[in-house]
Amino acid sequence: MVKGLEILDFKKQLEAQDTEFPTLEVLNNDGKLVDQALFDDAGISDEDLVNIMQRMIKQYVLNERSTKLAKQGRLGFVAPTRGQEASQSATSYAFNDDDFLMPGYRDIPQMIHKGFPIYKAFLWSRGHQIGNEMGDVKTWFPQIIIGAQFVQAAGIALGMKMRGKKSVAYTYTGDGGSSQGDTYEGMNTAGAYKANAVFFIQNNGFAISTPRNLQSAAPHLASKGWGAGIPSIVVDGMDALACYIAAKKAREWAVSGNGPVLIETLCDRLEPHSMSGDDPLRYRTKEDIEEWYKKDPLIRMRIFLEAKGLWSSDIEEKYIAEINSEIDDAVKQADNVPKQKVSDFIKNTLENPGYIMEEQIKKFEGEGK
Amino acid sequence: MAVKTYIAAITEALDLALERDENVLVFGEDVGENGGVFRATEGLNAKYGKDRVFNTPLAESAIGGMAIGLATEDFRPVMEIQFFGFIFEVMDSIAAQMARNRFRFSSTKQFPIVVRSPYGGGTHTPEMHADNLEGLMAQTPGLRVVMPSNPADAKGLLLASIESNDPVIFLENLKLYRSIKAEVPEGYYTTPLDKAAVAREGSDITVVTYGGMVGNCLKAAENLEKEGISVEVIDLRTVSPIDVETIGKSVEKTGRVVVAQEAQRQAGIASNIMAEISERFILSLKAPIGRVSAPDSVYPFSMAENDWLPQVDDVVAKVKEIVEYD
Ligand SMILES: Cc1ncc(C[n+]2csc(CCOP(=O)(O)OP(=O)(O)O)c2C)c(N)n1
């Protein structure tokens, strides 16, 4: 076929889109390596492997406890993370303390791994301002406005580059979030400046009730990064090793001044969208959820580590007990934090409040609020 | 008449509008099979099909722009913004585009768009979900801002908004959705836009209010009656443009006014109402105009909402202050 006709062959182009983004896989559903070469090349130590498993289990236990506490009315907003252990915990293991995390509302586990205290995460959930005090931990509060974290991450990444820092900004959104203008603008701007950023689209199949295929006609959400001119890949988001290795390579690329990378992780949010009244069975089937459980990232990793003699049910039980007691302490600590004051809200709104707000501060202080 | 919740009245209005005019389209995030996160569109997708009641991608700017485009193709879009705090994502479509389009086209084109969205606090939602941003909308010429306070109005005003050939920002109070039930007339009817209602008659003082605050003011009026103070409560229903005639009649009768809103003092509608009353009816006033509002902080996260939001007692105290003023 002559060149011009080929360019104008729209059907062919559509078909090609599907083949451009093969899924990166390292560990299969049975916990066996399917890509030995990649695993060897990544040079992951046994200690790293155990740490990744521990992070995923910590996320798992935190989710169990948080969803229970939410049901008891002891937490406010809770977005379950079951099924996303590899996509969240294993990817975030690739980053350093100096790297800046810009989390979405479901990305609490990554914040905790970075050193954000669990009791503060509980306070955030309850709507207490102390839950937004990050201290020295390089993270923001979990962003509610979907897409905003992508544009902000681009700015942090550019700032790091301008300051000559050897660190990156990394940020997460969902398949729904990939439809936001800000998500594209963030990737595009970071790309234009070759800023030190790593972007994640966690494609867990649903944005509340809206299925992935209604978000975009693009067969792969990763292709959205191509529009911004940045390397973009699809990863098995239930495969901890693939998630970790992809994130590590992306970080290396970005931190070396090459510009950002986009990673789409294919995973499932096995539980409701949030604990505030969402019923997944209104928009998906039980069978579909069960199919996804067969890809459970924890089981795959457990089988793999057990075969290497790095993990056992005893180790796991002991570790779970440790986390549970850490969470017990966090609940107590959160419960002991004093009630918020209206006068503090006003004080926190502007550095110099001015006459009318000063008047309001005095009024509420007088009422003990 | 059947007794209905505020949200059921809204669903019924959407149902009637879809039935009556095939150009009416209902869309937004999760409004399809799931019936919306609050179930305001429950059953409509099944009844009218996914070409008329449909989910959109998670992209508010696109929802607003699409509404403008669909209106250009002679549809009557009823778009939903899932929570009013997300309105900033679509401000260009609303404030810079749809609000100006009648003017731009010299009234040769219509933009019969309704932007439905839940607003207001006190339900412990996460940050950016509850917020009183009606002032931002009301300051934009070219938009009509409607804020019903009860189920019957919610239905009638929504049907009138869908009939309107101008863009309407239709704000549904989150707390009222399921907390109140009242009689709602059967069948199709409209409640006129731009007309305030006298929600309660009284002779000593006028309380001008709207939306979620109306219930609090009616409760305050009941309490004050026991103390011998007769309060007239004006429910604005449409907060932009404002029905100054109804307000004026009441102010001339009582000579005293309190304006009450859920929004912060510097936000909301109160300052505009106070300005209109001062300019037009100052000679009828026997006391300064009182104001009840939330303080001027950023909207706080859920936990301390009830200390922060104005309550019935705040209205009672302010009314007494103005009534006692000599
Ligand atoms: C700008 C904006 N619009 C709408 C919402 C309401 N909302 C919260 S989560 C959500 C779905 C998000 O889906 P996705 O991005 O796929 O992430 P997931 O929840 O699946 O992790 C929506 C519509 C919001 N928080 N921000």
Side-chain angles (χ1 to χ4, degrees):
Chain A
M1 204 189 280
V2 291
K3 207 172 163 203
L5 282 175
E6 206 166 301
I7 292 169
L8 291 171
D9 188 343
F10 301 139
K11 188 164 173 278
K12 194 171 158 198
Q13 190 190 111
L14 270 184
E15 283 161 5
Q17 277 192 23
D18 201 25
T19 55
E20 291 293 344
F21 294 91
T23 305
L24 185 78
E25 282 169 319
V26 181
L27 202 58
N28 68 12
N29 292 356
D30 305 324
K32 299 251 158 44
L33 287 177
V34 289
D35 196 334
Q36 185 76 45
L38 180 57
F39 180 73
D40 293 343
D41 173 79
I44 314 174
S45 69
D46 286 353
E47 195 192 337
D48 285 337
L49 291 173
V50 170
N51 286 343
I52 292 169
M53 183 66 177
Q54 285 184 336
R55 280 193 172 202
M56 292 204 294
I57 288 184
K58 188 163 186 176
Q59 166 169 354
Y60 172 88
V61 178
L62 189 65
N63 180 65
E64 292 277 291
R65 295 290 304 275
S66 302
T67 49
K68 250 189 223 138
L69 287 164
K71 279 185 198 150
Q72 296 163 355
R74 297 179 66 194
L75 284 181
F77 178 74
V78 169
T81 66
R82 184 71 190 94
Q84 297 188 206
E85 291 84 0
S87 177
Q88 297 181 305
S89 291
T91 54
S92 72
Y93 188 66
F95 296 90
N96 296 346
D97 288 348
D98 286 343
D99 294 333
F100 212 114
L101 168 66
M102 294 299 274
Y105 50 84
R106 204 181 298 283
D107 301 317
I108 311 283
Q110 298 98 304
M111 297 174 67
I112 308 275
H113 297 324
K114 223 172 154 38
F116 185 65
I118 296 175
Y119 87 92
K120 284 195 181 179
F122 288 163
L123 287 171
W124 177 81
S125 162
R126 290 178 185 176
H128 198 297
Q129 280 202 290
I130 288 184
N132 284 36
E133 292 176 5
M134 301 300 149
D136 294 333
V137 186
K138 292 206 181 317
T139 178
W140 262 40
F141 49 82
Q143 181 61 256
I144 291 289
I145 295 303
I146 294 165
Q149 73 272 33
F150 264 51
V151 264
Q152 293 154 356
I156 294 173
L158 176 61
M160 286 173 165
K161 188 185 170 94
M162 288 164 83
R163 299 224 182 270
K165 288 187 183 169
K166 287 285 157 222
S167 54
V168 303
Y170 61 115
T171 184
Y172 297 81
T173 195
D175 42 304
S178 74
S179 298
Q180 282 286 346
D182 277 357
T183 301
Y184 168 72
E185 291 184 33
M187 294 191 292
N188 190 60
T189 304
Y193 290 116
K194 287 205 185 317
N196 313 0
V198 179
F199 298 105
F200 291 95
I201 293 174
Q202 302 192 71
N203 177 356
N204 65 9
F206 288 89
I208 310 187
S209 71
T210 307
R212 153 68 184 90
N213 67 327
L214 280 182
Q215 291 299 336
S216 173
H220 302 284
L221 298 174
S223 68
K224 299 199 171 201
W226 274 19
I230 67 179
S232 308
I233 58 168
V234 180
V235 173
D236 178 347
M238 310 292 274
D239 171 351
L241 294 180
C243 282
Y244 168 67
I245 293 169
K248 191 158 175 278
K249 293 268 183 206
R251 183 189 182 278
E252 279 163 13
W253 174 266
V255 88
S256 314
N258 297 306
V261 177
L262 167 64
I263 298 174
E264 175 187 359
T265 62
L266 302 175
C267 52
D268 196 273
R269 179 251 292 158
L270 298 166
E271 292 177 342
H273 166 72
S274 80
M275 298 305 289
S276 324
D278 176 52
D279 172 11
L281 295 179
R282 285 176 69 97
Y283 51 82
R284 66 184 302 195
T285 62
K286 234 186 176 135
E287 293 71 40
D288 173 40
I289 301 172
E290 275 159 15
E291 273 308 303
W292 276 97
Y293 265 107
K294 293 180 187 156
K295 299 174 194 282
D296 194 330
L298 292 159
I299 292 173
R300 280 151 94 158
M301 193 66 171
R302 181 201 277 149
I303 297 170
F304 177 66
L305 292 185
E306 277 178 349
K308 281 174 103 51
L310 295 171
W311 199 256
S312 66
S313 50
D314 282 353
I315 297 177
E316 189 165 301
E317 270 167 37
K318 201 164 147 265
Y319 186 61
I320 289 175
E322 268 172 42
I323 301 164
N324 269 317
S325 93
E326 192 185 340
I327 294 173
D328 290 339
D329 292 344
V331 173
K332 274 186 215 133
Q333 210 177 341
D335 287 347
N336 287 333
V337 168
K339 212 178 146 217
Q340 306 192 91
K341 288 195 162 161
V342 178
S343 48
D344 287 336
F345 294 147
I346 309 171
K347 287 179 191 168
N348 283 337
T349 294
L350 280 176
E351 186 181 10
N352 300 309
Y355 187 90
I356 294 174
M357 286 166 76
E358 291 284 9
E359 204 176 56
Q360 294 169 7
I361 291 168
K362 280 198 203 105
K363 170 182 169 280
F364 283 107
E365 278 179 345
E367 295 169 12
K369 285 190 197 165
Chain B
M1 276 202 273
V3 172
K4 287 206 162 78
T5 59
Y6 186 92
I7 195 161
I10 286 163
T11 311
E12 199 192 336
L14 292 170
D15 191 353
L16 290 167
L18 283 157
E19 188 175 51
R20 191 172 129 113
D21 182 352
E22 61 180 20
N23 293 310
V24 171
L25 302 176
V26 171
F27 55 91
E29 292 158 12
D30 302 293
V31 306
E33 289 84 344
N34 208 30
V37 291
F38 294 103
R39 314 279 180 256
T41 53
E42 175 105 58
L44 300 179
N45 168 279
K47 189 163 172 191
Y48 296 99
K50 65 176 174 28
D51 290 339
R52 297 197 56 210
V53 179
F54 53 92
N55 284 338
T56 61
L58 205 179
E60 289 80 10
S61 178
I63 295 171
M66 207 162 66
I68 295 170
L70 286 164
T72 306
E73 279 293 310
D74 299 325
F75 286 100
R76 300 187 88 83
V78 182
M79 56 177 262
E80 178 178 300
I81 296 297
Q82 203 162 68
F83 284 92
F84 206 46
F86 310 152
I87 202 73
F88 297 106
E89 315 303 298
V90 56
M91 274 307 268
D92 179 61
S93 280
I94 290 177
Q97 308 299 332
M98 60 178 86
R100 293 167 186 244
N101 279 357
R102 170 175 294 280
F103 174 86
R104 282 171 169 153
F105 287 110
S106 301
S107 291
T108 59
K109 288 196 192 306
Q110 319 273 30
F111 291 87
I113 298 165
V114 178
V115 182
R116 287 184 44 243
S117 188
Y119 83 97
T123 57
H124 303 295
T125 55
E127 194 205 356
M128 298 295 296
H129 284 64
D131 223 327
N132 285 81
L133 303 168
E134 63 271 16
L136 288 178
M137 301 293 133
Q139 285 218 343
T140 307
L143 299 177
R144 196 164 248 101
V145 185
V146 177
M147 300 177 74
S149 68
N150 63 68
D153 277 5
K155 179 177 165 187
L157 290 168
L158 181 51
L159 287 169
S161 300
I162 297 171
E163 278 189 16
S164 159
N165 285 329
D166 284 322
V168 176
I169 311 296
F170 191 87
L171 298 178
E172 300 164 7
N173 189 277
L174 250 176
K175 200 170 176 180
L176 297 186
Y177 266 161
R178 291 176 204 282
S179 67
I180 56 167
K181 273 189 175 175
E183 294 208 330
V184 175
E186 303 291 337
Y188 192 99
Y189 66 91
T190 58
T191 304
L193 303 178
D194 307 345
K195 279 299 291 169
V198 179
R200 178 191 173 102
E201 291 196 25
S203 52
D204 295 330
I205 184 164
T206 301
V207 173
V208 183
T209 187
Y210 60 91
M213 244 346 240
V214 173
N216 280 346
C217 291
L218 287 171
K219 188 94 207 15
E222 251 172 60
N223 296 351
L224 285 157
E225 190 179 56
K226 289 175 203 144
E227 301 187 36
I229 300 172
S230 166
V231 182
E232 180 143 305
V233 178
I234 306 284
D235 174 356
L236 289 174
R237 301 204 282 208
T238 298
V239 301
S240 180
I242 284 171
D243 175 5
V244 284
E245 273 180 286
T246 303
I247 296 172
K249 266 191 212 130
S250 181
V251 173
E252 280 164 356
K253 177 164 87 174
T254 64
R256 294 175 198 265
V257 189
V258 164
V259 185
Q261 67 179 18
E262 207 177 291
Q264 295 95 324
R265 185 179 166 101
Q266 70 181 78
I269 308 294
S271 49
N272 189 30
I273 298 163
M274 293 166 86
E276 293 292 348
I277 294 173
S278 310
E279 278 191 24
R280 294 162 197 275
F281 311 108
I282 189 125
L283 296 179
S284 304
L285 291 178
K286 296 180 216 153
I289 305 170
R291 168 160 40 181
V292 177
S293 73
D296 289 317
S297 81
V298 170
Y299 204 103
F301 314 146
S302 60
M303 254 179 47
E305 257 178 324
N306 287 337
D307 284 342
W308 184 86
L309 284 168
Q311 304 292 331
V312 174
D313 285 350
D314 298 310
V315 179
V316 168
K318 188 51 83 178
V319 166
K320 281 188 184 166
E321 185 190 321
I322 302 303
V323 166
E324 282 158 19
Y325 185 94
D326 270 321

